[in-house]
């Protein structure tokens, strides 16, 4: 209302009550409060929207937060259970490990002691066998015995000859002659002739017996040699059987280790052999490798070492069906008809010239040509290098490499290495009993032992037969010796008698002088013969003593052989017992080592660590009595963990994020609620304040309007009327610039931006004007004349300016429709109002100009140029 044009004066009366209300609001000074209320209402609306959105988000997040909270609690419970479980598992595995390790250490000590004991016993057995072999294989002493026999016989014959000669000299010619009663010379000659015939017959018989005896003695020598050979053969067979039995025990021990170490399926196929088809053997068996490359190639081949090479896929199928039907386990088969060689990239050949490269892995294995594709498939382009540094020089990841210590470098860049424990069982290029497949070797060994036992039985039978023949032959020779001694005695008697008779015959034919000379010569000869006989007797006794000594030595040797054989059997029993005990210990050791390996594998699968790391932490072991309870506790916690289930570790981060968001939304919701309360309170306060100010201003404006109307019309009646409507009507009125700006304070509850519910309450909708000039009764403003409407509008305008003066007011020909008298009355009112406001009036009215303090006008001269003229009336 500070700038009022000529048309606005009319509109002030003709506009709607709602539009007229804006003038009153400005006059009341509540426009700024309306703006504030409107802004507060907008903020309240946005706050309501934000409250709704935040509440929706909170309602959406709250269930998720509750779920995450439960999961976090479960996760915390799970983590607590996992900590307890890990502590129990650490104690459990440490206890089992140390228990197994104590057994392993004890078994290794026992095996070490048994190895020393076995070495001692084997050394003793070897000594016995060597001594027995030395005694059994000594050169035949039959020639020495025959030489002694010949010396004895020669001495005996020489003594007999001397005795016979002596008998001739010392005959009983006279005694025999007188006993016979015949002293005739003819009788002597006849008797001598008979004795000579008898002597010849006995000599022939003795000679024949001597010949037969020599033949029998030669046969005895041969039989004794055969007996000696049979004894040697028996001893050799027993030694071989003992060695084979020891080897069989070792092979069976290896078989047990083979079963324990998990190659039952491989062994089952190898034992079945040709029954299943064309079975060649395992990869580790079909190739030979130098000792220095064992570790490298074992690692390079990996699980393929135990792969079984077969002829074709049909052989593989029969083996698979056999393993499935017998439930022996699983094995890998490489059919020769299907396996193809892997090509070697060209750059690999360049690497082979490196000084620390030993060559391609496949080239370091010796095998038959038909297995070339197999080893090419197993090793591919893997090369064997000296050490880790050599692999780095060549370039890790460029080619598959393995060091002599067993560190493996894959083409992916992965490096696999560390401490590798060398074990005595399993499948390896190292060969040994396992690579030769103990099952077949044991079967072959058993067959050999059976064959040797059969050979020993045959040798013992042959020995018994030859020994019996030797005893018979020795008995026969003994009879011949007795007969020969009898014949020799008879011949000796005949020789003696013949010598005597021949001497008598000779003496009877001699003269007494010749007889005397002869007797003297014979006496001397007899004396010499007696001396020679005594010497011969000593020689015979000496030869007999030599024979007795020889026989005694032979008997002692036989007794020694028997004693050595008994000792060898006893020592062999000791060796076998030690070997069996050692093998049992080795099997037990393999079991515990396998248990340790399984424990390590289980440990890594369970808690992904190594036993050494646990031991390094100094975890105290449990007592064996508490081990079962610990295992039960472990199972209980595993069961609880299974009930909790797997919870992603990221749920904590999600929970924290959701909780933070929930707390933020809750804080925002609280802030929004507080803002909502504050805004509602502000709106209520503004409504109350605006009501008071409007009521006060309305009364004053109405008072001034009535006064100014009476001044201008010199009487009459005019009043302002507030127009009220219902809430519904207010809602339907969309022409308001500021909704609810006229709602009485009682319509709004504190803390609520809008009415709680729609009620038919009165709401100020506008201002209406009732004006009746003097002498007229006007019901509608349209019934007023133009001048009357102008003065009524000026009266209302002046009432507003009086109530709420504006700093300046621009009036554009507002009094143009008035005559001079009415203009003077308006001017008087404006002069009164000019005390509070500066008026700028555009007018053509002289009365208005006379009232002004200064005039400003524009005139145009003859030159056509506009000039501005001003006059201050006080200086005029």
């Amino acid at each position: 209302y500070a700038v009022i044009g000529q048309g606005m004066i009319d509109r002030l009366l003709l506009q709607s009550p709602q539009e007229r209300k804006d003038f009153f609001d400005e006059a009341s000074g509540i426009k700024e409060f309306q703006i504030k209320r409107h802004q507060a209402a907008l903020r309240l609306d946005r706050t309501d929207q934000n409250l709704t959105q935040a509440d929706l988000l909170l309602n959406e997040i709250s269930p998720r937060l509750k779920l995450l909270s439960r999961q976090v609690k479960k996760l915390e419970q799970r983590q607590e259970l996992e900590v307890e479980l890990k502590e129990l598992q650490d104690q459990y595995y440490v206890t089992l490990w140390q228990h197994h390790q104590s057994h392993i250490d004890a078994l290794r000590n026992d095996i070490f002691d048994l190895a020393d004991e076995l070495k001692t016993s084997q050394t003793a057995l070897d000594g016995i066998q060597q001594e027995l072999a030395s005694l059994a294989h000594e050169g035949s002493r039959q020639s020495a015995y025959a030489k002694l026999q010949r010396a004895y016989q020669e001495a005996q014959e020489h003594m007999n000859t001397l005795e016979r000669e002596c008998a001739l000299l010392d005959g009983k010619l006279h005694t025999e002659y007188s006993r016979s009663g015949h002293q005739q010379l003819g009788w002597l000659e006849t008797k001598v002739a008979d004795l000579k015939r008898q002597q010849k017959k006995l000599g022939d018989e003795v000679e024949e017996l001597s010949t037969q005896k020599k033949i029998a003695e030669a046969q005895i020598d041969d039989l004794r040699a055969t007996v000696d050979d049979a004894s040697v053969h028996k001893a050799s067979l027993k030694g071989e059987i003992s060695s084979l039995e020891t080897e069989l025990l070792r092979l069976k021990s290896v078989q047990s280790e083979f079963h324990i170490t998990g190659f039952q399926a491989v062994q089952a196929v190898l034992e079945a052999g040709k029954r299943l088809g064309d079975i060649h053997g395992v990869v580790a068996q079909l190739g030979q490798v130098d000792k220095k490359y064992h570790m490298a190639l074992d690692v390079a081949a990996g699980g393929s070492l135990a792969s079984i090479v077969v002829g074709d896929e049909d052989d593989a199928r029969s083996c698979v069906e056999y393993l499935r039907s017998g439930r022996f386990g699983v094995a890998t088969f490489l059919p020769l008809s299907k396996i193809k060689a892997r090509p070697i990239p060209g750059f690999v050949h360049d690497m082979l010239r490196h000084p620390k490269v030993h060559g391609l892995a496949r080239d370091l294995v010796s095998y038959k040509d038909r297995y070339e594709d197999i080893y090419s498939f197993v090793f591919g382009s893997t090369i064997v290098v000296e050490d880790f540094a050599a692999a780095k020089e060549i370039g890790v990841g460029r080619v598959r490499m393995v060091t002599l210590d067993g560190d493996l470098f894959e083409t992916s860049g992965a490096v696999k290495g560390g401490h590798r424990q060398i074990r005595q069982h399993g499948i390896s290029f190292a060969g040994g009993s396992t690579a030769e497949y103990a099952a077949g070797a044991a079967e072959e060994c058993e067959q050999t032992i059976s064959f040797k036992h059969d050979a020993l039985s045959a040798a013992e039978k042959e020995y018994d037969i030859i020994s019996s023949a030797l005893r018979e032959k020795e008995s026969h020779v003994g009879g011949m010796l007795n007969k020969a001694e009898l014949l020799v005695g008879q011949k000796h008697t005949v020789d003696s008698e013949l010598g005597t008779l021949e001497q008598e015959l000779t003496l009877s034919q001699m003269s007494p002088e010749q007889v005397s000379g002869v007797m003297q010569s014979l006496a001397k000869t007899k004396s010499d013969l007696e001396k020679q006989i005594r010497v011969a007797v000593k020689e015979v006794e000496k030869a007999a003593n030599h024979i007795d000594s020889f026989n005694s030595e032979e008997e002692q040797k036989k007794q020694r052989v028997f004693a050595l054989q008994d000792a060898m059997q006893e020592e062999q029993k000791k060796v076998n017992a030690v070997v069996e005990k050692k093998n049992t210990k080795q099997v037990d050791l393999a079991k515990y080592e396998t248990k340790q390996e399984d424990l390590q594998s289980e440990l890594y699968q369970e808690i992904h660590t190594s036993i050494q790391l646990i031991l390094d932490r100094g975890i105290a072991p449990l007592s064996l009595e508490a081990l079962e309870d610990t295992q039960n506790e472990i199972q209980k916690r595993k069961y609880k963990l299974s009930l909790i289930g797997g919870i992603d570790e990221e749920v904590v981060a999600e929970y924290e994020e959701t909780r933070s968001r929930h707390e933020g939304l809750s804080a925002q919701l609280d802030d929004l609620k507080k803002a909502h309360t504050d805004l509602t309170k502000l709106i209520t306060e503004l409504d109350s304040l605006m009501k008071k100010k409007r009521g006060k201003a309305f009364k004053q404006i109405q008072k001034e309007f009535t006064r100014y109307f009476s001044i201008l019309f010199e009487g009459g009646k005019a009043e302002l009327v507030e127009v009220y409507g219902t809430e519904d009507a207010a809602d339907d009125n969309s022409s308001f610039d500021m909704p609810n700006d006229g709602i009485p304070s009682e319509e709004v509850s504190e803390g609520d931006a809008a009415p709680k519910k729609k009620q038919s309450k009165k709401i100020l909708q506008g201002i209406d004007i009732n004006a009746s000039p003097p002498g007229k009764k006007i019901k509608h403003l349209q019934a007023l004349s133009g001048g009357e409407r102008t003065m009524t509008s000026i009266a209302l305008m002046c009432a507003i300016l009086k109530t709420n003066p504006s700093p300046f007011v621009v009036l554009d020909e507002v009094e143009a429709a008035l005559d001079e008298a009415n203009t003077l009355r308006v001017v008087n009112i404006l002069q009164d109002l000019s005390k509070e406001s500066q008026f700028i009036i555009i007018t053509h009215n002289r009365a208005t100009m006379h009232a002004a303090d200064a005039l400003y006008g524009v005139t145009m001269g003859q030159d056509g140029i506009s000039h501005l003229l001003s006059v201050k009336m006080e200086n005029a």
Side-chain angles (χ1 to χ4, degrees), residues 31-49:
K31 196 67 176 179
E32 58 176 318
F33 300 110
Q34 287 179 333
I35 295 174
K36 290 180 180 180
R37 187 190 187 285
H38 180 65
Q39 291 175 346
L42 292 177
R43 288 199 301 271
L44 185 62
D45 184 58
R46 288 196 299 271
T47 301
D48 286 336
Q49 294 177 1

Side-chain angles (χ1 to χ4, degrees), residues 350-359 384-386 390 393-394:
D350 298 334
M351 296 178 182
L352 298 179
R353 291 193 289 269
H354 193 281
K356 291 187 178 181
V357 173
H358 292 268
V384 179
V385 299
E386 183 71 23
E393 291 178 9
I394 295 172

